[in-house]
């Protein structure tokens, strides 16, 4: 069983930067695929970025390519997932969720059903 806790959400000005973090506790072997999703009221949760923790292959949704960077950090004391958000625009405002699953590929990383574990969410607001 994994537990995921997001942090780093908040308010940012358009054009600014923000870094989201997700602390993961539990056996890393059950979380070879890590991802960030976002959701705004009235819309479906959408995949933003994902990383295969073994191959380091990354996937990005088109609207964030070149602006967002997903990364992970695993050592003896911590397992962290990050989302570096640069050149933020108002369309990036949403609740952001980190998610973990056993594995993911290019054809399924965007699907919420790929991930068994979810964090509680971190709100990102963007002011213009």
């Amino acid at each position: 069983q994994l537990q995921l806790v997001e942090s780093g959400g908040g308010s940012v000005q358009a054009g600014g930067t923000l870094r989201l973090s997700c602390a993961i506790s539990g056996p890393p072997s059950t979380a070879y695929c890590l991802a960030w999703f976002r959701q705004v009221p009235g819309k479906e949760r959408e995949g933003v970025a994902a990383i295969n923790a073994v191959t380091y292959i990354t996937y990005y949704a088109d609207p964030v390519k070149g602006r967002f960077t997903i990364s992970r950090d695993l050592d003896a004391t911590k397992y962290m997932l990050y989302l570096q958000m640069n050149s933020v625009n108002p369309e990036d405002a949403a609740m952001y969720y980190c998610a973990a699953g056993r594995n993911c590929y290019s054809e399924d990383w965007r699907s919420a059903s790929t991930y068994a574990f979810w964090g509680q969410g971190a709100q990102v607001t963007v002011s213009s």
Side-chain angles (χ1 to χ4, degrees):
Q1 189 76 10
L2 293 179
Q3 289 187 329
L4 290 71
V5 179
E6 299 96 337
S7 60
S11 181
V12 59
Q13 282 195 327
T17 64
L18 198 66
R19 190 194 199 202
L20 301 181
S21 301
C22 176
I24 303 167
S25 58
S29 62
T30 58
Y32 288 142
C33 183
L34 305 173
W36 289 97
F37 279 71
R38 65 187 182 187
Q39 189 172 24
V40 297
K43 291 191 175 182
E44 290 189 0
R45 194 170 295 190
E46 65 169 349
V48 175
I51 182 169
N52 184 305
V54 176
T55 65
Y56 292 93
I57 293 175
T58 56
Y59 308 98
Y60 293 95
D62 286 343
V64 307
K65 280 182 181 176
R67 300 188 299 118
F68 291 10
T69 302
I70 188 171
S71 61
R72 70 94 164 144
D73 184 14
L74 173 62
D75 63 25
T77 61
K78 67 180 184 297
Y79 192 13
M80 298 293 295
L81 177 69
Y82 303 103
L83 185 69
Q84 179 66 41
M85 305 167 60
N86 298 332
S87 301
V88 174
N89 60 53
E91 289 71 37
D92 296 320
M95 183 72 80
Y96 283 73
Y97 299 89
C98 62
R102 186 164 294 278
N103 216 336
C104 59
Y105 304 93
S106 60
E107 63 271 19
D108 65 2
W109 75 266
R110 290 183 181 83
S111 173
S113 62
T114 297
Y115 307 90
F117 305 100
W118 294 83
Q120 82 288 351
Q123 183 69 48
V124 173
T125 58
V126 181
S127 58
S128 56

